[in-house]
Amino acid sequence: MSALVDNRRAKLSEYLPWIARDYLTDQGPSTAIIIVLIALFEAQMFRMGTGTRLATMPQDVAARLLRGLAGILAFLGTFFATNGIVSNDRKQGYYRFLFAKPVSPPSYYALVFGMYGAGLLVVVLALLCVWAVIVRPMFPIELFGAVAVLYLAYGGIGFLLSAAWRFDWMSLVTALLVARLCWSVWGNATGPAHWLLYLLPPVHRADNVVDIVMRSAGTPVPWNLIAWLGGYGLLCFVLGMVVIRKRPLGTS
Amino acid sequence: MRAGSRAARDDATSPRDSALIEFQGVGHTYRSILGRTVRAVEDFSLSIGESEVFGLAGPNGAGKSTLISLLLGYLEPTNGSIRIAGLRPRAFVERHGIGYLSELIAIPTRWKVEDALQRYGILAGVRRHELAARVAYVIELLGLEEQLGKRVKQLSKGNLQRLGLAQALLRDEGVIILDEPTHGLDPLWTQVFRDIVEALRRPGRAIFIASHNLDELQRLADRVAIIDGGRLQRIVEPRAALGGSTTYIISIVGDAAAIADVFPGARPRGAQEWEMPELDLATLNAGITRLLQRGVLVSSLRPAHSVLEQHFREAVGE
C-alpha cells in the first residue's frame, strides 16, 4: 500500500529557524521594548533623585537596578513567550494545516517552548548590550541562569494552562497571584494545611533566585530553590505535553 | 432507514478495491461544559478504497466537518472506530501525513505566501533538497506567482483558497482530504481544480472530497456518500447511476403537439421547452426517434436534476 510505504516524518530540526524567526519578530521585540521603557523610567527616577548621570552611576547602584530589571524581564519575557503558545493555534484554527502534516504535536510544541526560551536569552543579551552602551558594561552570567530558571518555572505553568484551555494568560496571572498570597499568609503555618501549599507554584521564592544576579563573592548559589522552582515548572511542562497528547486538537 | 435501503447501503459501503479508510459504527457527540450534548455523527460505517475518489455530500449541519475532523484525528469518536491503513487516524497522520484543505483556511495572517509554503513543506516532510522544487511546482500549479511576496492577510478569498490547496499538495500524499475545495474560486479556477483532482487520481491514493457542489462531486467522485442528521443516508455511484430513470428537459423546433403525443405527461416550461416525466434511457431514445421521424428537431436535452441531485433530494427528504 503506497500510503504505508511513504513513511516520512517531518524533520522538525529544519523548522527551528522559522520558530526562532517568529520569536525574534514578535514576542522578542515586544519584550525588549517594554523592558527598555521600564529601564528608562527607573533611570529617570534615579536621575531625579540623585542628580547623577547614568554613565556615572556607582557600581552597586547599577547592580541593584539591573537586579530589579532582571525580575521584571524574567516574568514579562516568559509571559509574552508562552501566552497562547498552544491555545492560540486551537483558537485560530492553525492546528488544521500544521497537524495534518506528519508532525507530533507534543514534539512540535516542546520545540517551540525550547526555542522561545532560547530567544528570551538572546533578548537578555541584546538588552545587556544596550545597558553596556548607556550605563556600563555588565554581563553577569548569573542573569542568564536566573532568567532560564524562571522561564522554566513560570513558562512551564503557562505551557500547561495554554495546553489545557483558552484562558491561559488570565489563569496564569491568577495562579501566580493566588500562590504568592497563600504562601505569604500560610507559609509559616504548621500542620497538614501547610503541606497543601506545596501543590502551589513556589513563586514566592523567585526573588531569591533573581538575587544571584548581584550575588557577592562567597555567597552560595541557592541550588535547592533553583531545583524547586525549575522542577515545579518542568513538571507542569511535562503535564502540558500529556494534555496535548490526550486532548483532541479539535476541541477549544 | 428501511430494510431495503439498508441492504443497498451495506453493499455500497464497501469499495471495489481494497479498503484504505474504514469507519465502523462511528458516532460523535459534542458535550458543552454545562452538560448539553449534540449528536453530530451516529452509527456511521463506510470503507474507502485505496485508489478511490470519494465524495461526501450533505446539507448544512449534516456532520461533514465532524467526520473530517474525526478522519484527521482532530476529534475522537465517542463510539466505534476509524482506521486508515490499519492505524488510528492520529497515528496515521503523524507517520504519513495527509494532504488536507480545510473549509476555513487558517494560516497566520502575517506570514508571506512563499514563506507559508516553505514552512508547510518542511512540516510535510519534504526533504531539504526537494523543497524549492516542490514549492515552485505548487506555485505554478495554482498560479500563485504574483502573490508570493504578499502577506496572507492581503490575499483575496480565491487566492487564499489556492494557497490552501497548494499547501495540501506539497507532498505526494497517499490520502488527500478536500473540504469545500472550490469555495471562493471563480469558474476558471474551479475548472483548473477539477483538472488537478483528475491528475491526482492514481493507484494507491484515496481522495476524499466534501462539498455542497453536487455537480462537482458528480464529475469527480467514484462514489458519493450522502449524510443527513449525522447518519449515512445512501451511497451513490454517480457514473453507474447515469443509466437510471430520471426526468429531462427538452427543447424542440417544430410541431409542439408532437411532444404530448410522444411523451404523455410532459409539462410545458416555456417557449418550446418541456419537462418530461421520469423516463429510462431506452424509452427516452425511442421517443426522440419518433419525434425526429415526425420532422421535429431537438435543440437541447438535459436532465432536470443531476443523478446525484436527485438522490440528494430523496435522501434528505426535500
Side-chain angles (χ1 to χ4, degrees):
Chain A
M1 196 172 287
S2 65
L4 273 180
V5 173
D6 191 18
N7 180 355
R8 207 165 54 186
R9 285 192 170 96
K11 273 192 179 170
L12 280 178
S13 58
E14 290 177 7
Y15 195 68
L16 274 176
W18 290 105
I19 300 174
R21 186 171 142 172
D22 286 341
Y23 181 82
L24 294 175
T25 56
D26 191 351
Q27 296 94 332
S30 315
T31 304
I33 288 168
I34 295 285
I35 295 302
V36 166
L37 288 176
I38 293 171
L40 286 174
F41 175 78
E42 296 216 353
Q44 185 63 22
M45 297 302 286
F46 172 78
R47 279 180 66 178
M48 285 168 65
T50 63
T52 313
R53 289 172 53 231
L54 288 179
T56 55
M57 185 187 285
Q59 171 74 20
D60 62 321
V61 176
R64 265 207 309 279
L65 193 55
L66 187 65
R67 184 244 167 264
L69 288 172
I72 300 168
L73 170 62
F75 176 72
L76 285 183
T78 304
F79 184 78
F80 288 161
T82 58
N83 179 35
I85 192 168
V86 180
S87 62
N88 201 39
D89 288 346
R90 289 187 197 258
K91 274 190 283 195
Q92 303 291 341
Y94 300 150
Y95 73 91
R96 290 179 179 277
F97 288 162
L98 284 178
F99 301 120
K101 311 287 187 259
V103 171
S104 151
S107 306
Y108 175 85
Y109 286 116
L111 204 67
V112 174
F113 182 80
M115 207 59 206
Y116 281 12
L120 179 57
L121 295 181
V122 171
V123 169
V124 172
L125 180 63
L127 288 171
L128 283 178
C129 291
V130 174
W131 184 266
V133 172
I134 297 174
V135 184
R136 67 181 60 209
M138 293 170 78
F139 290 94
I141 193 76
E142 293 87 349
L143 176 60
F144 293 93
V147 170
V149 169
L150 292 180
Y151 178 77
L152 188 57
Y154 296 138
I157 303 165
F159 185 82
L160 171 61
L161 293 170
S162 191
W165 70 342
R166 56 167 61 197
F167 307 105
D168 48 349
W169 72 265
M170 209 163 53
S171 48
L172 175 63
V173 171
T174 307
L176 297 182
L177 287 176
V178 168
R180 261 189 192 272
L181 183 72
C182 290
W183 276 107
S184 65
V185 174
W186 295 295
N188 295 323
T190 54
H194 175 74
W195 293 103
L196 288 176
L197 284 177
Y198 286 88
L199 293 175
L200 295 172
V203 285
H204 62 300
R205 306 304 299 271
D207 288 346
N208 301 98
V209 173
V210 180
D211 284 342
I212 63 172
V213 173
M214 49 179 290
R215 183 171 61 99
S216 51
T219 311
V221 175
W223 291 113
N224 55 339
L225 283 181
I226 289 172
W228 188 9
L229 270 161
Y232 193 96
L234 186 63
L235 181 67
C236 288
F237 172 74
V238 171
L239 285 174
M241 299 277 276
V242 173
V243 172
I244 291 170
R245 170 53 70 201
K246 296 288 181 193
R247 185 173 174 234
L249 290 158
T251 53
S252 61
Chain B
M1 185 171 289
R2 293 186 302 272
S5 62
R6 176 175 285 277
R9 191 196 78 178
D10 290 345
D11 183 44
T13 54
S14 302
R16 289 186 180 145
D17 52 6
S18 56
L20 177 65
I21 300 169
E22 290 186 275
F23 293 85
Q24 285 188 338
V26 172
H28 185 78
T29 302
Y30 291 102
R31 287 192 170 78
S32 74
I33 302 174
L34 300 173
R36 277 185 297 184
T37 59
V38 177
R39 201 173 289 172
V41 175
E42 219 174 332
D43 190 26
F44 187 88
S45 296
L46 177 73
S47 296
I48 299 173
E50 63 175 12
S51 306
E52 192 171 17
V53 177
F54 193 91
L56 183 66
N60 291 329
K64 299 191 296 293
S65 297
T66 302
L67 271 175
I68 288 176
S69 289
L70 290 165
L71 193 50
L72 284 150
Y74 293 158
L75 293 174
E76 285 291 320
T78 321
N79 310 101
S81 69
I82 305 171
R83 292 288 181 271
I84 308 177
L87 298 170
R88 289 160 62 98
R90 205 59 238 154
F92 179 87
V93 173
E94 289 180 19
R95 196 170 298 178
H96 305 287
I98 283 179
Y100 172 50
L101 169 65
S102 57
E103 184 180 6
L104 296 172
I105 310 290
I107 299 173
T109 50
R110 66 177 190 282
W111 288 6
K112 288 186 175 169
V113 168
E114 189 169 17
D115 293 350
L117 290 171
Q118 297 266 356
R119 287 169 182 255
Y120 287 129
I122 293 169
L123 294 174
V126 177
R127 291 294 170 252
R128 195 193 294 263
H129 64 277
E130 298 169 343
L131 186 60
R134 285 302 298 183
V135 169
Y137 165 72
V138 294
I139 286 169
E140 191 188 345
L141 186 69
L142 275 307
L144 289 166
E145 293 89 344
E146 290 175 12
Q147 318 299 329
L148 294 182
K150 287 186 183 169
R151 294 192 186 277
V152 169
K153 65 182 167 195
Q154 295 173 297
L155 296 181
S156 66
K157 172 71 186 131
N159 285 331
L160 189 61
Q161 190 74 7
R162 279 149 63 187
L163 174 60
L165 187 55
Q167 66 78 37
L169 302 179
L170 276 164
R171 215 184 71 167
D172 194 26
E173 308 284 8
V175 178
I176 294 177
I177 298 174
L178 306 170
D179 192 359
E180 299 295 349
T182 53
H183 181 64
L185 293 184
D186 62 34
L188 280 177
W189 275 102
T190 300
Q191 185 53 50
V192 172
F193 162 76
R194 286 175 185 155
D195 295 342
I196 289 170
V197 173
E198 282 300 337
L200 285 172
R201 194 190 278 272
R202 67 156 167 78
R205 170 181 284 153
I207 303 174
F208 188 96
I209 306 172
S211 179
H212 281 106
N213 188 336
L214 298 178
D215 182 47
E216 185 171 285
L217 294 178
Q218 170 98 33
R219 288 166 194 241
L220 294 172
D222 300 317
R223 290 187 302 151
V224 177
I226 299 172
I227 60 170
D228 190 24
R231 282 182 172 272
L232 178 60
Q233 300 298 327
R234 65 177 68 183
I235 292 181
V236 182
E237 293 187 37
R239 292 187 187 105
L242 279 174
S245 296
T246 189
T247 57
Y248 292 88
I249 308 291
I250 190 168
S251 300
I252 61 161
V253 178
D255 180 13
I259 284 285
D261 295 342
V262 174
F263 295 112
R267 289 183 295 130
R269 278 174 53 110
Q272 301 293 92
E273 189 177 87
W274 284 264
E275 181 174 336
M276 296 191 285
E278 197 167 288
L279 301 167
D280 60 39
L281 278 179
T283 313
L284 173 72
N285 281 285
I288 288 173
T289 305
R290 286 173 57 200
L291 281 178
L292 294 172
Q293 284 168 348
R294 289 177 61 166
V296 174
L297 296 176
V298 177
S299 57
S300 84
L301 177 68
R302 64 181 193 280
H305 306 292
S306 73
V307 173
L308 192 53
E309 193 180 336
Q310 224 164 307
H311 278 280
F312 186 87
R313 284 168 181 272
E314 288 167 17
V316 304
E318 284 184 9

